[in-house]
Structures are given as C-alpha cells and as structure tokens.
Amino acid sequence: MLTAAELVRLLAAVAKGDRAAFERLYAATRAKLYGVVLRILRRPDLADEVMQETYLKIWNSAGQFDPALASPITWMVAIARNRAIDLVRKRTDISIEEVPEVLELASDTADPLATRERTEDLGRLLECLGRLDPDQRRLLLLAYFNGWSREQLATRFGAPVNTIKTWLRRSILAVRECLGS
Amino acid sequence: MTMDEDLNVLAAEYVLGTLSLEERQRAESLAQSNTDFAALVRGWERRLGELHAMVPSVEPPLEIFERIKQRLAGGGPGGQVVALETLRNRIGRWRSFGTAMAALAAVLLALLVTSVVRPDLMPAALRPNPEVIEVVRTIEKPAETPNRLVAVLQKDAASPAFIVTVDIATRTMTVRRVAAEEQAGKSYELWLVSKQFPKPRSLGLVGAHEFTAGMALAAFQPDTIADATFAVSLEPEGGSPTGEPTGPVLWSGSLIEAVPSAQARP
C-alpha cells in the first residue's frame, strides 16, 4: 500500500476527475477494501457489488475527503464497510454459521499485524481494547470485523439482545474514556 | 445516562455496524442534519477504522475494476446509478447543499427509478408524458441541454417535503408532496423566487393531493425558471390573501438537472 500522504495526493487528483489517479488509487487499496467487505459479506458476488458502489462513491466524493479529519484509508474503509453493512442488513440470507472465529486480537502470543501497518493510533486502540473483559472485547471485534448485528451477537454469545446492548454501551464508553478523546 | 453518552454510543454502534437497517437510516439522517453527531461518527470512524489493519487483504477479481470503469463511463446496467451519483456530485458543488445529498439522492432515486423503470406506477397525470421514456435514453446518451429539472424542497436533509419536476420545453411542472403533512384550515402555496422579480411570484397551491400536475410556468422565461428558487409557505386556506407570502416559508430548493448534460460528465 502507498503511504497516507500518497493516498491523500491521489484522492485530491481524483476529486478533479483524474482517471489515472483513480486507477492508481484502486490498485493501491482494492485488496484492503475487498478483504474488509468480503469478510462481512462472505459472498464474492455481493462483495463485487459493494466494491463497485464503494469506488463509484469514492470517485464522486473524493472532494469531500478532508485529511485533517481522517486518514485516507480509514475514510475509504468506512465507505466500504457502510455499504457492506447496509447490504447485509437488507438481506436475511447471509448466514452467520459459516463465519470463522474472529482473529484473536491483542493477545500476547502473537502479533498478527504487519509492522508497517501498525500505527500509533492502532496501538493505543488495541491497548484500550485489551483492558476490556475478554468477552466484551470479542464482542466489539466481531461486530467490527464481521459486521454482526446485536441479534447475531446475541446468538453467538448466548445472551439476550438487551444484555448485548448493555455490553456494547459499556465497552464503547470504556474505550472512549481510555482513548481520552 | 447522559445525552452525550447516548449520542456517542449511537455513533459508535453505527460505525461498528450493530444497528438494524432502520436504526442505521435514522443515524444517517441525524448525521446529515446535526453536525455534532456527524463529528461523533467521524471520530469513531477514525478510532475504530484503525482496525482495518488487522483484516487480511484479499486480491479481488480483475473484472471488478472493468465494471467500475464501465459504470463511470455511463455504459452498462449501472449507467443509471452513475447518472444519479453524478447528479449528486454536481449538486454538491453547485448548490452547496453539502450533506443533504444522501437524502436527496435517495428521493431522486425513488422518483427517477419509478418514472424510468415502472412508468405504469406513476400517477395518471404523469404517465401520458412521453418524456418519461425519453429520460432513459437521454441519460445513456446525454443531450446538450436538459429539458427536465428537479427541485427538492426541504428544510434539512432528513425531511424533503416536496419534489418539483419542471419540463422546460413545455414550461409545465408537477409537484409531488413527499413528507409535508396536511394542516387543517391551511394551504401550502408554492412561490418562484428570482432575481428578475422584486417579489416572489405565486405559482399556486400545492399539497392538497400527492401530485399536483400540469402547473403552468408559461409566464416565465426558461432561464428564469432554471435559476429560480422554489419555496413553499404556509398560508390561510385558499392561499395568500395579499399575493405575497404571509406565512412562514417552510421549505425551499433550487432546480437541478435531472438529465446531466454531456459536458459535465466525469
């Protein structure tokens, strides 16, 4: 992947309608975005659709990207995830049965991260997630990575939806407190 | 439980993706109308977005980019969507509607898709209009000048109240009531506001039915119509007694091209 500064420059060019820059942006980010949406959608045909919509949206909204407010890749990932989650919420035929166990994150045994992708912000977030109860940490990560609803999380954790709601709330506020912003 | 905490949790759950579809749509509307909430969403997108680094990259099939390029070019089955995306993009630049776009595009999408895909679902007053079919062709092969313009009259992005569709060639318009509630003993009156005139010109009453079709704009030049702002005020039953708006202006909007011109395509 290109550096953040290079992605910012490409987005600025895309905002002016530069198709070559768009192609380079796609080449630099497609595997990351596809990995994100495929994990949520579990179906290549749906991931394909969401990829198209995501990049059309990026083409059209590149001018609204503000490097002061977001990193280019988190901005693009947010667009892709939003589309993917909208789609899974609209469909009821995507089963959670086939979803593999979530990556065990923030575990002491192995660092699953390629070091070049490990930013300071990510380090702080993982530290804060590490302070949560293991179940609550897993809850947040399953939601983020797999795009699960509260109902799906309730099934997975064998807990009532209201309990999941409470756990989510508690974890979210704890993470906010821990990150201090 | 403070309001601040509730909004934070809602923003975070929206970003996490745990909300139902309906809750997601409500959160999106809120983000469009409330900049504080939008900032909370951006904050959580930034914080949680770092987690993307933990997701393994997967190389997508090559055809995907070909399809994206086709859709950008306006060809293929996605042409319609591109036209709408283009429209949304251009409105954003021209009119500074900013965050209104998602809601606006959704409304336009519903309207255009109905008129394009299922003209039989449109009310009788609109159906005989051969332009409906013309829209499809024009979107695929854009004309130099648009002859169909649309304005969404709204107070904020979450609440489009009326949609005005103008046919420049015949200088007629159709007004569709979307979300405006009927108010007992009151009428909604539509006004054309233009630099050409010192005062708003009444275009008549709207909103008594879902569609008010065939309203005349013959008194105005096409340029004036295209640049005008359309506004709806709440008036005593039967309309303003003075010929000028007497009640509050509840919604307004400007026209945008329903058919993008060739030059402005990406």
Side-chain angles (χ1 to χ4, degrees), chain A residues 86-97:
Chain A
D86 280 342
L87 188 60
V88 279
R89 290 288 168 276
K90 279 179 198 152
R91 300 182 70 108
T92 50
D93 57 347
I94 300 173
S95 144
I96 69 167
E97 299 306 317

Side-chain angles (χ1 to χ4, degrees), chain A residues 1 15-16 19 22-23 26 30-32 34-36 38-39 44 47-49 51-53 55-57 59-61 64 68-71 73-75 77-79 81-83 85-87 89-90 103 105-106 112-114 117-119 121-122 125-126 129 139-141 143-145 147-151 153 165 168-169 172-173 175-176 179 181, chain B residues 1-25 28 39-74 77-78 81-90 92-93 98-99 101-102 265-266:
Chain A
M1 178 126 48
K16 291 181 190 138
R19 283 184 184 240
F22 183 63
E23 195 148 355
Y26 180 79
R30 66 184 177 211
K32 172 57 71 185
Y34 193 66
V36 168
L38 188 61
R39 190 175 181 94
D48 181 327
E49 189 182 322
M51 283 289 276
Q52 293 181 43
E53 286 171 10
Y55 279 94
L56 288 172
K57 165 96 178 167
W59 169 261
N60 284 311
S61 330
Q64 290 157 30
L69 298 176
S71 90
I73 191 68
T74 58
W75 182 74
V77 164
I79 292 173
R81 282 189 77 255
N82 276 335
R83 299 263 155 158
I85 289 165
D86 280 342
L87 188 60
R89 290 288 168 276
K90 279 179 198 152
L103 305 165
L105 301 168
L113 292 180
E117 281 193 280
R118 181 157 195 160
T119 63
D121 287 342
L122 177 61
L125 177 64
L126 290 180
L129 289 173
L139 186 77
L140 284 190
L141 295 175
Y144 185 84
F145 290 123
W148 285 4
S149 65
R150 292 174 190 146
E151 287 72 20
L153 293 165
K165 247 177 125 163
L168 280 169
R169 181 183 185 91
I172 286 164
L173 293 174
V175 167
R176 184 183 66 151
L179 286 174
S181 49
Chain B
M1 282 195 193
T2 67
M3 183 66 173
D4 172 54
E5 284 184 353
D6 287 346
L7 285 176
N8 240 298
V9 170
L10 181 65
E13 279 211 69
Y14 172 72
V15 172
L16 271 176
T18 45
L19 302 178
S20 68
L21 189 62
E22 199 177 85
E23 291 168 323
R24 284 180 67 73
Q25 286 163 350
E28 274 160 24
L40 288 176
V41 169
R42 274 200 307 273
W44 281 107
E45 279 178 350
R46 195 180 57 233
R47 286 182 207 111
L48 295 174
E50 293 293 331
L51 287 171
H52 78 80
M54 321 275 304
V55 182
S57 292
V58 179
E59 196 56 43
L62 284 175
E63 317 80 87
I64 293 183
F65 195 62
E66 289 308 311
R67 294 198 194 105
I68 293 169
K69 280 199 289 196
Q70 274 170 22
R71 287 173 70 171
L72 282 182
V81 176
V82 174
L84 283 163
E85 290 278 351
T86 308
L87 180 62
R88 179 200 313 208
N89 198 28
R90 292 167 62 216
R93 282 191 203 134
T99 50
M101 283 318 100
R265 309 209 104 207

